[in-house]
């Protein structure tokens, strides 16, 4: 039971510093804000319960609902069918290099990795995509 297992480690679910300010700035600027995840809906529900971030998003999208993980082009086509976004004007921040590559193949232009997705691990380096070190850096173009 994935939900049970997630409950056992829910104390480890944390928000990165300045994420709420960044998400609020996106909303204040009139941007449509989506959370897309490969996580199962039960896991996502637990994370939203723990972080209270759901009000910052217009839509929460689980790849399970489409039958394709974000690493596959089918995900982006299915997302396009329900959201009608412009890849050239879309920002995606993700901690998974395979997902960033898939998004790039789909045509998403503004792609960022997360330098330290897990506070329990050392920061990573990736020359392929710009890295978010701190979400306060992302505020500069919004405010």
């Amino acid at each position: 039971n994935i939900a049970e297992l997630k409950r056992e480690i829910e104390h480890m679910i944390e928000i990165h510093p300045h994420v709420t300010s960044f998400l609020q700035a996106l909303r204040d600027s009139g941007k449509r804000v989506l959370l897309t995840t490969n996580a199962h809906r039960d896991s996502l529900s637990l994370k939203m319960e723990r972080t209270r971030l759901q009000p910052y998003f217009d839509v929460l999208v689980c790849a399970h609902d489409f039958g394709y993980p974000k690493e596959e082009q089918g995900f982006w086509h299915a997302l396009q069918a329900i959201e009608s976004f412009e890849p050239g004007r879309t920002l995606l921040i993700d901690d998974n290099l395979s997902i960033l590559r898939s998004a790039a193949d789909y045509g998403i232009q503004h792609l960022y990795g997360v330098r330290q997705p897990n506070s329990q691990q050392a920061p990573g380096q990736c020359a392929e995509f710009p890295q978010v070190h701190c979400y306060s850096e992302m505020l500069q173009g919004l405010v």
Side-chain angles (χ1 to χ4, degrees):
N1 185 331
I2 293 173
E4 284 274 328
L5 293 172
K6 290 290 185 183
R7 284 245 177 245
E8 291 177 13
I9 60 166
E10 76 175 296
H11 63 280
M12 297 174 72
I13 299 171
E14 298 178 358
I15 302 171
H16 284 268
H18 307 286
V19 163
T20 54
S21 299
F22 172 64
L23 292 171
Q24 187 61 54
L26 286 173
R27 301 222 15 114
D28 291 347
S29 70
K31 307 286 186 220
R32 187 149 172 82
V33 182
L34 283 70
L35 182 136
T36 61
T37 182
N38 280 342
H40 189 274
R41 277 225 179 258
D42 292 343
S43 296
L44 178 58
S45 293
L46 175 61
K47 289 177 182 179
M48 289 299 112
E49 177 185 316
R50 176 88 173 151
T51 63
R52 308 230 186 272
L53 288 175
Q54 188 164 351
Y56 294 99
F57 298 101
D58 295 298
V59 178
L60 303 177
V61 177
C62 288
H64 286 264
D65 296 343
F66 295 154
Y68 300 101
K70 291 169 39 179
E71 292 87 344
E72 293 184 19
Q73 291 300 296
F75 173 84
W76 303 106
H77 290 284
L79 182 62
Q80 182 66 253
I82 66 164
E83 278 301 317
S84 189
F85 62 95
E86 295 179 44
R89 297 185 58 205
T90 298
L91 165 68
L92 175 69
I93 302 170
D94 206 290
D95 61 3
N96 181 311
L97 184 57
S98 295
I99 290 170
L100 291 167
R101 288 174 177 157
S102 178
D105 289 345
Y106 187 75
I108 295 176
Q109 294 296 303
H110 307 282
L111 299 167
Y112 288 82
V114 178
R115 183 160 185 229
Q116 188 172 13
N118 184 333
S119 63
Q120 306 300 313
Q121 297 175 357
Q125 291 289 346
C126 174
E128 196 169 336
F129 298 98
Q131 299 286 291
V132 174
H133 301 250
C134 179
Y135 283 85
S136 63
E137 299 168 355
M138 302 300 290
L139 288 168
Q140 295 171 5
L142 296 173
V143 291

